[in-house]
Amino acid sequence: MRSRATAYPLVAVLGWGVMFPILASALNRVDPLNLTTARYLLAAVVLVAILLLREGAGALRHGGRALEVVVLGVVGFAGFNLLTNLALEHAAPQQISLFVATTPVITQLVRWARDGVRPKPLLLALSLVALLGVGLVITRGSLAGLGQFGLGGLMMVGAVLGWGIYTHGASRFGEWSPLRFTTLTALAGTAAMLALSIGADAVGWQHAPAAADLVAVAPQLAYAVLVGAVIAVLAWNTGVQRLGAANAALFMNLVPVTTFAVQIARGYRPEPVELVGAAITIAALIAANLAARPRTASLPLPSAVTDPVAVTDPVAVSAR
């Protein structure tokens, strides 16, 4: 039974790893803000429909916690996804995926800053090793490549930090179902994205997509919504429930592996130093996840929402 349960997070991370190159290709026709907004408008409709079917209209109420929901939705959903799509204009998908894989480590650092729960020294050391690996991939081992980190890298640092705050904040909503928490925060984040996109279009920062552009990226949107924001996330949370968050988190390290494989299949030929950097990052993150796992096997398994160390979908946490 346990071996069957591993299929769920495996499906999720494979879906997310493929999604970065897909989103990058869509950016050739639609601006980042408009693409993100279109994706989450569609995903929000699906989430609300599922929530109404499963829990009824009462689950759409905030229960006096509207401010928390809005802040987490804006920081997590809007902040992470907007910055990620903007970063894809400045960095390759395989580079972005490595940043996303640092989410569990960043979440622990956020927990340290907000709750005073200091991570183990080993975890901090492994975090630095993981970042070193990311640096090798981005710079290709040359100091001259430091300029490639630039804006895209800074955006991803902000994106992952926002997602760490969101993941930590989710621990305060243990009495809500994962679907309810995700849907309400997604609605708040989508509203922020929509407002920002309208403003950006109005001042000429970006341009509203023509109908032909939306038709052209319809396959990418369909994948990002149905696979990335629905199927993969439902599979992920099922895996978290059956395996526990600490065990399921290990699968997140397959996201950059999948993205690299997709890029190579599309004709990209990584240099040896890039492969070494990716291997260093993945090995360090696996070791960091193992170091963060509870020592006592008899402890009850944490849920996807209440465990502050849980890793969630860096692109669309639909079951969060």
Side-chain angles (χ1 to χ4, degrees), residues 119-175:
K120 300 175 183 177
L122 176 61
L123 180 65
L124 295 177
L126 290 170
S127 302
L128 294 176
V129 173
L131 291 177
L132 173 63
V134 173
L136 286 176
V137 173
I138 292 176
T139 64
R140 297 183 179 180
S142 171
L143 291 178
L146 286 174
Q148 296 182 25
F149 180 86
L151 188 58
L154 291 175
M155 286 178 176
M156 283 311 301
V157 170
V160 176
L161 178 60
W163 196 253
I165 293 172
Y166 177 87
T167 302
H168 176 270
S171 64
R172 299 193 297 270
F173 288 80
E175 70 278 13

Side-chain angles (χ1 to χ4, degrees), residues 87-109:
L88 282 169
E89 287 196 319
H90 301 276
Q94 62 270 21
Q95 297 171 354
I96 297 301
S97 68
L98 282 171
F99 276 102
V100 172
T102 66
T103 300
V105 173
I106 295 297
T107 301
Q108 295 235 10
L109 296 179

